Amino acid sequence: MDFLDNLVKTFFDVDSMLTVAPQLLTVGLVNTLVISAASTVIGLVLGMVVAVMGISTSRWLRIPARIYTDLFRGLPAILTILLIGQGFAKFSQSIFGPSPYPLGIIALSLIASAYIGEIFRAGIQSVDKGQLEACRALGMNYGRAMVLVVIPQGVRRVLPALVNQFIAIIKDSSLVYFLGLLVSERELFRVGQDAAVNTGNLSPLVLAGIFYLIVTVPLTHLVNYFDQRFRTGRRRPTAPTSGLKEVTELDAVSPLTTGSNT
Amino acid sequence: MSSTTSTSADQPTFRGSSLQLKNLCMAYGDIPVIRDVSLEIAPGTTTCIIGPSGSGKSTLLRGINRLHEPSSGGVLLDGEDALRVRPDVLRRRIGMVFQHFNLFPDHTALENVALALWKVKGMPKSEATERARRRLTEVGLGERADHRPRDLSGGQQQRVAIARALAMEPEVMLFDEATSALDPELVKGVLTLMAGLCERGMTMAVVTHEMGFARRVADQVVFMDEGEIVEAGRPEDLFDNPRSARLQRFLSEVL
């Protein structure tokens, strides 16, 4: 039973969990959510810009978008976060003050926008070309047709992929830990890690992990919900109607059908 | 027309404009697809464009409203040079109906018709909706205004598409194989609707494989092959006395 005892003490020590729980909740969880939400919002906006640039007919928009995407998608997240978080520290100090928090958010946003941009681009490009043509034939310009008709359809299609990306952002938010956050700015992982060092067991980290799961697992189920609602087509089945009924209906409005010249 | 029901009397008449193509040439990159096509469509008349696949019929229609920009030649709408106005402005005067309807799937039938009235013509939303509802009623879909395209049959969808184009009050209507994707029993209804527009004075250019419709409704039939007009004239002349070998061959295959 020694081994089992050890296991419980290392991972599920209730005392150390209870000690760190308030901090995880009021500091860690709050900061994780703030960092993730901010990165997601900025990532969505930048991602849409990158996506629209990426499908432009002008290569002067397309090529920069391509390079941007390749760059931030191709580099390890930790490298991007360190380069931006430390490289721009001086610059950031004059705007945001000494905290590396904003730079962490910016770095995460840039990484997220590269992925989100690709998701948006794939979605928008999957919309039937006829949609844009129908808009143009009605006299809409390109921008209006995209905003009113094409982009909403494209985005709807990739909602599940977007939710996956949100989950990835929440997990990646733990990486800002490397920038050395102030005590009040620590996110879940850092709070758990600090407590783990103090207590000498891993239980605080396990609890931090549970908090991550509390946030991410419902999101994965949201993905399934979106998938069912938007991918698998119609929500309520309707009874099939005979085409002949429609012919009758047409006869009522079109006098020529029953005319002598058909 | 032996039986004219009361609905036809309620339906407004149109004031179609003339359409002229002068030595029109179009290309996909370096590959020429329309060669030197000249065509005149008088106001309020219907021209049916027939021909084998790949003959450039659809491309020609797209050249008229500049969904595909012509490489040379001229398009005159009501005598005005259509290639010198802004494409968006030109397209407000030309309605187009597509083979695959191209309705907006996440909007209802009513919204499909009202959207451009509201966003392009700048009509107040209530007025746009009201006009859209009238147009839908004209094509027999007043009851289905709140259905989404996926809850409508192909024939109904195409009628919504026709209502959507008509609502913009175009001077010319272009039909690009409007019945090719429909179930056979619904083809006649949509063709009849189109014939009704013709009766009411719309200028129409109709790319079609429905030879019966072309013969019955068209004022002029144009036979195209390999990007050029091979023969054009009155339907009875083309169908009964085809002069060119290519048209004779084509008719023998389709009739």
Side-chain angles (χ1 to χ4, degrees):
Chain A
M1 290 311 273
D2 238 18
F3 172 74
L4 208 64
D5 243 20
N6 242 336
L7 211 64
V8 170
K9 259 209 184 108
T10 309
F11 294 111
F12 303 102
D13 183 47
V14 176
D15 280 347
S16 22
M17 278 189 178
L18 284 179
T19 323
V20 76
Q23 254 193 331
L24 276 175
L25 199 65
T26 57
V27 179
L29 184 62
V30 170
N31 279 316
T32 291
L33 290 180
V34 168
I35 295 171
S36 311
S39 310
T40 302
V41 171
I42 301 173
L44 282 172
V45 174
L46 283 180
M48 185 52 84
V49 173
V50 175
V52 171
M53 283 172 71
I55 55 173
S56 162
T57 46
S58 153
R59 77 168 69 144
W60 298 109
L61 292 174
R62 224 170 44 230
I63 292 174
R66 197 68 256 155
I67 293 172
Y68 178 92
T69 308
D70 286 348
L71 197 66
F72 286 108
R73 218 170 39 154
L75 289 173
I78 184 67
L79 194 141
T80 306
I81 290 170
L82 275 180
L83 284 182
I84 288 175
Q86 296 186 345
F88 293 95
K90 274 234 176 72
F91 179 67
S92 144
Q93 184 147 20
S94 58
I95 306 170
F96 305 114
S99 161
Y101 202 78
L103 280 179
I105 290 178
I106 289 173
L108 281 172
S109 305
L110 295 180
I111 299 165
S113 66
Y115 286 97
I116 293 175
E118 282 297 274
I119 294 171
F120 278 151
R121 187 175 65 84
I124 294 168
Q125 284 183 327
S126 76
V127 175
D128 180 42
K129 236 175 53 222
Q131 292 291 310
L132 181 61
E133 265 183 359
C135 291
R136 313 271 352 231
L138 286 165
M140 289 186 207
N141 59 35
Y142 178 80
R144 192 166 271 194
M146 291 300 277
V147 170
L148 286 178
V149 173
V150 179
I151 290 177
Q153 282 181 52
V155 170
R156 194 156 304 190
R157 263 173 225 203
V158 296
L159 279 178
L162 275 182
V163 179
N164 277 334
Q165 194 54 44
F166 298 162
I167 293 170
I169 294 172
I170 291 168
K171 294 188 294 180
D172 281 355
S173 69
S174 59
L175 293 171
V176 299
Y177 138 86
F178 283 96
L179 297 179
L181 298 163
L182 305 180
V183 176
S184 62
E185 294 171 346
R186 294 175 304 165
E187 38 63 57
L188 278 175
F189 172 72
R190 180 63 192 271
V191 173
Q193 165 73 0
D194 286 355
V197 171
N198 284 336
T199 59
N201 67 55
L202 293 174
S203 310
L205 270 179
V206 171
L207 189 59
I210 292 170
F211 275 106
Y212 276 111
L213 291 177
I214 289 174
V215 181
T216 53
V217 169
L219 278 178
T220 51
H221 288 281
L222 194 66
V223 175
N224 296 339
Y225 171 75
F226 278 139
D227 244 358
Q228 262 169 15
R229 173 129 190 222
F230 296 111
R231 283 260 182 87
T232 50
R234 58 178 68 204
R235 276 152 287 163
R236 50 191 164 83
T238 44
T241 29
S242 161
L244 291 176
K245 257 202 191 126
E246 195 184 333
V247 173
T248 323
E249 168 191 309
L250 267 171
D251 285 352
V253 279
S254 308
L256 280 174
T257 317
T258 48
S260 54
N261 57 351
T262 48
Chain B
M1 264 149 292
S2 55
S3 66
T4 309
T5 61
S6 60
T7 29
S8 66
D10 303 337
Q11 300 195 334
T13 52
F14 303 111
R15 212 185 52 81
S17 293
S18 67
L19 187 66
Q20 271 174 290
L21 308 184
K22 283 189 171 167
N23 307 102
L24 199 70
C25 293
M26 296 172 69
Y28 292 139
D30 298 333
I31 308 161
V33 280
I34 297 294
R35 302 164 218 246
D36 200 29
V37 165
S38 295
L39 181 63
E40 231 173 277
I41 304 180
T45 66
T46 296
T47 295
C48 283
I49 302 166
I50 60 171
S53 63
S55 57
K57 311 179 294 288
S58 295
T59 308
L60 184 68
L61 276 197
R62 276 151 200 279
I64 294 173
N65 70 354
R66 292 167 69 188
L67 281 180
H68 187 124
E69 209 60 57
S71 40
S72 68
V75 176
L76 299 182
L77 176 62
D78 200 17
E80 288 172 60
D81 188 345
L83 301 183
R84 288 177 61 178
V85 298
R86 274 200 6 242
D88 298 341
V89 176
L90 173 72
R91 293 186 193 121
R92 283 170 214 176
R93 299 170 59 187
I94 302 178
M96 188 164 196
V97 175
F98 301 87
Q99 179 177 5
H100 295 290
F101 329 134
N102 297 354
L103 294 181
F104 309 135
D106 35 10
H107 292 277
T108 63
L110 189 70
E111 288 163 353
N112 262 280
V113 183
L115 186 70
L117 291 175
W118 178 33
K119 294 287 184 182
V120 176
K121 282 213 160 181
M123 230 177 235
K125 202 175 177 185
S126 59
E127 199 184 326
T129 312
E130 205 214 317
R131 189 196 283 192
R133 202 175 286 282
R134 272 206 307 274
R135 289 303 187 203
L136 281 177
T137 310
E138 275 169 33
V139 298
L141 290 173
E143 309 272 294
R144 299 233 159 69
D146 298 321
H147 285 53
R148 281 175 206 277
R150 65 162 178 236
D151 296 326
L152 297 171
S153 75
Q156 290 167 337
Q157 288 190 50
Q158 194 60 297
R159 284 186 277 147
V160 174
I162 291 173
R164 178 173 73 177
L166 282 179
M168 297 295 284
E169 299 184 322
E171 299 161 39
V172 172
M173 285 281 282
L174 309 175
F175 290 86
D176 189 4
E177 299 196 22
T179 58
S180 299
L182 296 182
D183 286 336
E185 79 271 19
L186 303 176
V187 168
K188 197 170 82 171
V190 171
L191 289 177
T192 307
L193 191 64
M194 289 162 61
L197 302 181
C198 171
E199 294 282 316
R200 286 151 62 193
M202 180 57 77
T203 306
M204 308 206 295
V206 181
V207 167
T208 186
H209 291 298
E210 299 292 334
M211 297 304 147
F213 175 82
R215 181 191 275 268
R216 181 161 51 83
V217 174
D219 299 285
Q220 173 181 231
V221 174
V222 172
F223 172 65
M224 282 183 74
D225 191 25
E226 294 183 337
E228 52 194 15
I229 293 181
V230 180
E231 243 181 285
R234 296 187 308 162
E236 50 271 34
D237 293 341
L238 258 77
F239 287 118
D240 299 334
N241 299 303
R243 277 168 294 149
S244 63
R246 275 194 279 183
L247 179 53
Q248 286 165 11
R249 170 102 198 279
F250 176 72
L251 289 178
S252 74
E253 297 298 335
V254 296
L255 288 182

